[in-house]
Amino acid sequence: MENILNDDYWSQRYNDGQTGWDIGYVSTPLKAYFDQLTDKSVAILIPGCGNSYEAEYLLNNGFTNITLIDISAVLVERLQEKLQFCIENGTCQVIHQDFFTHQGQYDLIIEQTFLSALEPSLRPAYARQMHDLLKPRGKLVGVIFDFPFDGGPPFSGTKEEYLAMFEPYFQPVIFERCTNSIPQRAGNELFLRLDRK
Ligand SMILES: C[S@@+](CC[C@H](N)C(=O)[O-])C[C@H]1O[C@@H](n2cnc3c(N)ncnc32)[C@H](O)[C@@H]1O
């Protein structure tokens, strides 16, 4: 089946300003997670990065190895301009690419409204690709919706569905009700911490 959620689809959304997912600042649950990390040299990937307020926060706080990928050419061009300084000093790279074709090895991958942007049939491939992109003992950390949307994107899921999807590749699989969500998402998202098997 052809994937219509492609570069054209997402670039059109950015061109039209139809970016309801964009909260405009670093997500509070992720900020709290970042604030307790001590090693600022860890290799971090943010796939489906969008405007990447999380990356800006990390870079402003001394993290030195950030990779951002997004399928939208429009978004990536804007982001490369916004983060030009960090790209030039080598602390950050911004790649126009489909996540599923990306190759690399990371200590930490950050999820936020990327899984919910993908056709649900891609979820097994998402879990496998996340596993393959992590170094041994690497972690996938982030926030995912468990609120039942009509249609999509965003596409949601239940804790049980997420567990089944991740358990082949991660151990332990920890999902907790997010207690520090932004107000608009309070009660509708889980915080996930998964260790690569
Ligand atoms: C709902 S937006 C979320 C953006 C960002 N994570 C945020 O929270 O603001 C989904 C993003 O994923 C990107 N995307 C969708 N499918 C992708 C894929 N297969 N590979 C890489 N990026 C993808 C879109 O272009 C878009 O920027």
Side-chain angles (χ1 to χ4, degrees):
M1 192 179 73
E2 192 199 353
N3 182 15
I4 58 157
L5 299 177
N6 53 18
D7 183 352
D8 288 347
Y9 172 86
W10 291 104
S11 286
Q12 189 72 49
R13 300 276 307 239
Y14 283 105
N15 274 332
D16 293 349
Q18 287 182 2
T19 54
W21 61 80
D22 189 314
I23 62 177
Y25 54 89
V26 60
S27 151
T28 44
L30 290 173
K31 177 182 178 301
Y33 179 79
F34 296 150
D35 285 347
Q36 51 81 53
L37 295 177
T38 50
D39 181 359
K40 300 197 174 188
S41 69
V42 285
I44 302 178
L45 172 69
I46 309 183
C49 60
N51 278 314
S52 297
Y53 308 104
E54 287 68 33
E56 283 187 276
Y57 183 79
L58 288 165
L59 290 160
N60 288 336
N61 283 278
F63 286 81
T64 57
N65 190 350
I66 312 290
T67 301
L68 305 173
I69 59 179
D70 203 286
I71 203 168
S72 162
V74 168
L75 178 277
V76 167
E77 198 180 326
R78 292 179 189 170
L79 202 52
Q80 284 173 337
E81 204 173 313
K82 182 166 84 161
L83 297 178
Q84 190 180 358
F85 179 75
C86 304
I87 295 169
E88 282 172 5
N89 75 18
T91 53
C92 162
Q93 50 176 337
V94 182
I95 305 172
H96 177 219
Q97 194 178 37
D98 184 339
F99 162 75
F100 293 98
T101 64
H102 185 64
Q103 294 187 339
Q105 285 282 280
Y106 299 91
D107 299 296
L108 175 62
I109 305 181
I110 300 299
E111 162 60 48
Q112 179 174 234
T113 58
F114 174 49
L115 175 61
S116 62
L118 299 172
E119 261 291 325
S121 61
L122 292 171
R123 290 183 174 184
Y126 166 101
R128 190 174 55 243
Q129 172 71 338
M130 286 293 188
H131 169 275
D132 292 352
L133 291 171
L134 284 166
K135 297 178 188 175
R137 292 191 294 281
K139 291 182 191 309
L140 171 60
V141 172
V143 274
I144 52 175
F145 291 119
D146 66 341
F147 175 82
F149 299 106
D150 278 340
F155 301 100
S156 189
T158 63
K159 189 170 175 178
E160 291 66 37
E161 285 165 348
Y162 294 135
L163 274 173
M165 151 189 178
F166 285 120
E167 273 176 345
Y169 303 103
F170 294 89
Q171 175 70 40
V173 173
I174 299 176
F175 294 104
E176 288 160 346
R177 173 63 52 206
C178 230
T179 54
N180 51 0
S181 298
I182 63 166
Q184 305 90 295
R185 294 181 183 172
N188 294 336
E189 62 184 1
L190 302 169
F191 195 80
L192 66 133
R193 281 181 292 129
L194 315 182
D195 287 15
R196 178 195 188 279
K197 263 189 186 171

